[in-house]
Amino acid sequence: MNSSFFKTHQKLMYWLLIVQLLTFELIVAGTTTYELLKGTTIRFENIIGLIVASVLVAMIILVRHYENKWLRSSNKLVKFFMEIYYIVMTLVLMFSILPTENIFVMGALHKWLHLNVTAVFVLLFIYGIFMYIPTIAVITKNIKWVVSRVLMMALVLFQLVGMYSFYSSMDMGNKTLSMLENTGIVGAVAFAVMISVLMIEWGFRLPKFSFSKNSSWSTNLFLLLFAAWYVIYNAFAYSEKLSTTLFKYDFSVKSPTWHMAFQGLEAGIAEEWLWRFAVGLLLLFAFKNSKHSFLRRYFIEWSVGIGGLLFGLWHFDNMFAGQNVLGTVDQMLSAAAAGWLFMVIYFYTNNLLSTIVFHFLIDALSFIASGTTFMDKPNLFEWETTVIQIIVFGLITVFMLTGKRRKVIKENVSGMLERS
């Protein structure tokens, strides 16, 4: 699948989006009418929903009529307002209208068609994976600024995980289904599908899952052995002294459950799809096409460096979920260094599956061994090991960005940046 598919079916995507909005209006209008007939108080949010959806339909129809002219305009003010328009429309549709419609439809299917709860959830999970595609094909694809694109994708990942976690709080009638939702696996898959479509619309190619023919077997073996060692060390190293930290291990586990394993898998899929595939390519494209020669010359290094720092900052939200402040800072520093390493592994191997598996094993085994997904307040020894981790990961990153390895990376990213 490439961008030509969505260009060919642009009219279909447009009408699907209109149908989604009109369906939302019909559901809200029907609910409001039912409340009137019962003599109950009309909910204020229903009226607001009807007004907002009607305004959105009118704006989409109006903008579509003048869109090509406005997008081709050289007027900076027009470009600015169009960018804001696409950002706001995406946020309203993805964070409010479409998720609300999904919940309303779920209730209607259960109540009016008498489908059992499990069947209803399965149908809506499937729909939820694809329901954002019309919005992406008609609205979100027109967002131009790199900062806007990165921020939008990060916010959407939060929203998807949150939406499916909300579903998991309901009685689905199936424990396995509830666990998949609660761990965010379905949200991660939905996010991967959505981001894939979005990147295609922006002219990029989908990621590969086989090793680059340019890569050296010895370098791949080194990366594999280091990854295997670090996965074990991160989960099971048991020492309070630097002199023995590499040699003492405790292989007992506190929470050997599928729930913990799937939470690690969710992070591996969603975060690698976001930060290595999507953000990695956006940064490469931005720096390679920069007006500044210094940024263009070292566009790979800039992409790896900034990408890692953004990945570290991404973990800041764990503090709002109840994680210790210093534990969060420690995690952000570790994640930034891991982000550098993940990025060069992806660029060198040209294989997104390699970082997905590496990331999954790090998180899953750590969660299973510790019995928690949160970081505790670090002691002095843990601060020391974090500093050492940053140094080691940093040295490997620098090693991968030099000599023949950089040539391989440059060849691989050139292929990644070929327009679809």
Side-chain angles (χ1 to χ4, degrees):
M1 183 182 292
N2 53 43
S3 57
S4 63
F5 173 85
F6 295 102
K7 290 178 181 177
T8 304
H9 297 82
Q10 183 66 26
K11 192 172 183 179
L12 173 62
M13 294 293 116
Y14 167 76
W15 282 111
L16 283 176
L17 179 58
I18 295 297
V19 168
Q20 284 180 316
L21 288 169
L22 292 179
T23 301
F24 173 82
E25 290 190 273
L26 286 172
I27 292 172
V28 176
T31 303
T32 304
T33 303
Y34 180 74
E35 290 173 348
L36 276 172
L37 293 175
K38 284 187 65 178
T40 57
T41 304
I42 298 175
R43 287 180 288 183
F44 178 71
E45 57 265 29
N46 286 358
I47 304 300
I48 295 298
L50 279 172
I51 295 172
V52 171
S54 300
V55 170
L56 290 179
V57 171
M59 289 180 68
I60 291 171
I61 294 173
L62 175 65
V63 171
R64 180 176 171 82
H65 186 71
Y66 296 101
E67 191 170 46
N68 290 332
K69 178 182 177 181
W70 288 343
L71 287 175
R72 289 195 299 266
S73 174
S74 59
N75 188 303
K76 292 184 179 180
L77 189 61
V78 171
K79 289 184 175 181
F80 173 78
F81 279 113
M82 289 300 290
E83 184 80 5
I84 299 302
Y85 164 77
Y86 291 124
I87 292 172
V88 172
M89 288 290 285
T90 298
L91 289 174
V92 173
L93 285 166
M94 291 188 177
F95 282 70
S96 179
I97 299 296
L98 296 179
T100 303
E101 178 191 50
N102 211 1
I103 294 171
F104 270 123
V105 171
M106 179 176 64
L109 288 173
H110 179 55
K111 184 175 182 179
W112 298 336
L113 299 184
H114 305 292
L115 293 178
N116 67 64
V117 175
T118 302
V120 169
F121 273 103
V122 169
L123 288 174
L124 285 216
F125 292 156
I126 295 172
Y127 172 66
I129 290 175
F130 301 100
M131 72 177 179
Y132 292 127
I133 291 179
T135 299
I136 292 169
V138 177
I139 303 294
T140 315
K141 69 167 187 178
N142 295 305
I143 295 175
K144 304 295 183 185
W145 301 339
V146 173
V147 173
S148 302
R149 289 178 172 184
V150 172
L151 184 60
M152 185 64 60
M153 290 187 294
L155 288 173
V156 168
L157 178 53
F158 272 124
Q159 193 276 333
L160 279 174
V161 172
M163 181 178 74
Y164 285 104
S165 294
F166 171 76
Y167 290 159
S168 69
S169 65
M170 304 177 185
D171 182 11
M172 300 183 185
N174 186 291
K175 290 183 178 180
T176 301
L177 194 61
S178 297
M179 181 185 67
L180 291 175
E181 286 311 304
N182 184 258
T183 56
I185 290 294
V186 177
V189 172
F191 180 75
V193 171
M194 175 186 158
I195 292 303
S196 297
V197 173
L198 189 52
M199 292 297 284
I200 289 172
E201 284 284 22
W202 285 336
F204 295 95
R205 297 176 181 272
L206 291 176
K208 294 181 179 180
F209 298 97
S210 58
F211 283 91
S212 168
K213 295 179 181 179
N214 301 321
S215 61
S216 161
W217 71 267
S218 57
T219 303
N220 286 333
L221 180 61
F222 162 72
L223 292 173
L224 177 63
L225 292 175
F226 177 81
W229 167 79
Y230 181 75
V231 165
I232 296 172
Y233 171 80
N234 182 67
F236 303 111
Y238 182 73
S239 176
E240 290 296 324
K241 295 180 181 180
L242 288 176
S243 59
T244 58
T245 187
L246 295 178
F247 309 105
K248 293 184 66 176
Y249 294 86
D250 179 3
F251 290 98
S252 61
V253 294
K254 294 183 178 179
S255 183
T257 64
W258 285 110
H259 186 276
M260 286 297 188
F262 280 130
Q263 283 202 299
L265 183 59
E266 178 271 326
I269 294 172
E271 293 184 358
E272 291 308 303
W273 221 276
L274 172 61
W275 293 108
R276 255 53 72 183
F277 166 54
V279 174
L281 292 192
L282 288 175
L283 290 173
L284 285 169
F285 184 79
F287 286 122
K288 187 177 182 181
N289 294 280
S290 172
K291 296 178 181 178
H292 306 287
S293 59
F294 183 74
L295 296 180
R296 290 198 305 273
R297 183 178 179 183
Y298 299 103
F299 75 101
I300 296 173
E301 287 80 359
W302 279 104
S303 300
V304 171
I306 300 300
L309 292 176
L310 289 175
F311 184 59
L313 289 172
W314 165 256
H315 292 78
F316 179 76
D317 73 293
N318 288 333
M319 184 171 62
F320 299 106
Q323 184 169 268
N324 178 271
V325 174
L326 290 179
T328 302
V329 173
D330 184 39
Q331 185 182 36
M332 290 168 62
L333 293 172
S334 298
W340 298 332
L341 183 60
F342 289 152
M343 196 78 89
V344 292
I345 290 175
Y346 174 49
F347 289 169
Y348 182 79
T349 62
N350 197 16
N351 182 351
L352 189 63
L353 185 61
S354 63
T355 58
I356 290 176
V357 172
F358 188 17
H359 194 155
F360 155 62
L361 291 175
I362 289 174
D363 283 4
L365 289 182
S366 176
F367 296 162
I368 290 171
S370 66
T372 180
T373 59
F374 279 178
M375 299 278 288
D376 294 326
K377 181 179 179 180
N379 56 34
L380 178 60
F381 169 74
E382 288 167 331
W383 283 117
E384 290 173 343
T385 55
T386 297
V387 171
I388 292 174
Q389 177 192 333
I390 293 171
I391 293 172
V392 172
F393 282 17
L395 288 174
I396 295 176
T397 300
V398 171
F399 171 72
M400 293 299 297
L401 291 172
T402 57
K404 294 180 180 180
R405 295 162 299 281
R406 191 185 190 282
K407 292 181 180 179
V408 172
I409 288 176
K410 191 171 183 180
E411 290 174 359
N412 288 341
V413 299
S414 295
M416 293 177 185
L417 291 176
E418 287 181 2
R419 311 304 279 171
S420 64

